[in-house]
């Protein structure tokens, strides 16, 4: 099962109507429904009214003076030449803009936090890829092409070799999730709708699997590893760990 794109879920959370295909997918996929609900909560928070001044903390009394000094907004000469009875520039400015500054600061802080949360949720796949890159050693040339990680902390590598007409798919997956089932290796086409089961990963996350000579590798150009339950059903579970084109 191909999950709904994170960008599409984000647009739906912001009010865009889903396509009929996405609607059908959400009815069957709890994972995508949960992601959409989380994004909608973030969007609702972004639309919430700004807090009142009473909800905000008063900044230190010398905050504006420190900012003004840093930016050269007031000088002793300017204060000495002010009209008689007029407070110094730093005091006038601080008293005049403090309420507006607090409101703007509150709105900016809340908006920034909400946007960060929204972008973090929408970029789930990118964050997973970055974390995997950071925690997994770089593959050697023998390990093959890096596959796309579909579950946190997982990384896969696959390559195809052809020796005297005997084709072999070699695949290694690191950071496999816990399961009471097993991990099955598939060849699939670019649309991810046509699949051929190749075999299972070993306990160490590695497998070397023969590829029948009558399989058209121009069509079946990608490899997928799925988590399969022991339920006697031969179909793909829809729960993939890694996927992507293999080397070779």
């Amino acid at each position: 099962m191909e999950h709904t794109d994170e960008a599409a879920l984000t647009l739906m959370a912001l009010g865009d109507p889903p396509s009929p295909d996405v609607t059908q997918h959400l009815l069957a996929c709890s994972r995508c429904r949960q992601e959409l609900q989380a994004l909608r909560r973030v969007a609702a928070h972004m639309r919430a009214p700004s807090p009142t001044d009473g909800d905000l903390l008063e900044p230190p009394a010398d905050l504006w003076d420190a900012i003004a000094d840093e930016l050269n907004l007031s000088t002793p000469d300017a204060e000495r030449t002010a009209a008689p009875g007029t407070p110094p520039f730093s005091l006038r400015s601080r008293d005049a803009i403090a309420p507006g500054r607090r409101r703007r600061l509150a709105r900016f802080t809340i908006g920034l936090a909400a946007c960060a949360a929204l972008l973090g949720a929408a970029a789930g796949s990118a964050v997973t890829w970055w974390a995997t890159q950071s925690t997994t050693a770089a593959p050697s040339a023998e390990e093959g092409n890096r596959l796309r990680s579909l579950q946190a902390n997982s990384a896969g590598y696959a390559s195809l070799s052809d020796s005297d007409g005997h084709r072999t798919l070699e695949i290694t997956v690191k950071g496999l999730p816990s399961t009471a089932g097993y991990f099955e290796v598939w060849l699939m086409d670019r649309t991810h709708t046509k699949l051929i089961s190749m075999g299972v990963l070993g306990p160490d996350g590695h497998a070397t699997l023969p590829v029948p000579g009558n399989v058209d590798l121009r069509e079946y150009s990608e490899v997928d590893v799925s988590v399969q339950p022991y339920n006697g059903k031969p179909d793909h579970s829809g729960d993939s760990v890694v996927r992507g084109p293999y080397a070779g």
Side-chain angles (χ1 to χ4, degrees), residues 134-147:
S134 301
T135 58
T136 305
S140 66
E142 291 76 20
E143 287 180 307
N145 195 46
R146 175 70 178 258
L147 305 176

Side-chain angles (χ1 to χ4, degrees), residues 178-200:
S178 299
T179 180
Y182 61 98
F183 299 98
E184 188 160 1
V185 181
W186 309 78
L187 286 179
M188 59 171 49
D189 67 349
R190 292 185 180 87
T191 67
H192 306 157
T193 58
K194 299 172 67 174
L195 299 89
I196 300 174
S197 174
M198 301 302 299
V200 300

Side-chain angles (χ1 to χ4, degrees), residues 208-239:
T208 301
L209 304 167
V211 179
N214 57 355
V215 173
D216 185 354
L217 297 179
R218 292 171 298 180
E219 181 177 11
Y220 292 93
S221 58
E222 296 192 13
V223 63
D224 175 281
V225 175
S226 65
V227 185
Q228 298 288 134
Y230 287 111
N231 58 5
K233 296 181 180 180
D235 298 334
H236 193 291
S237 66
D239 187 11

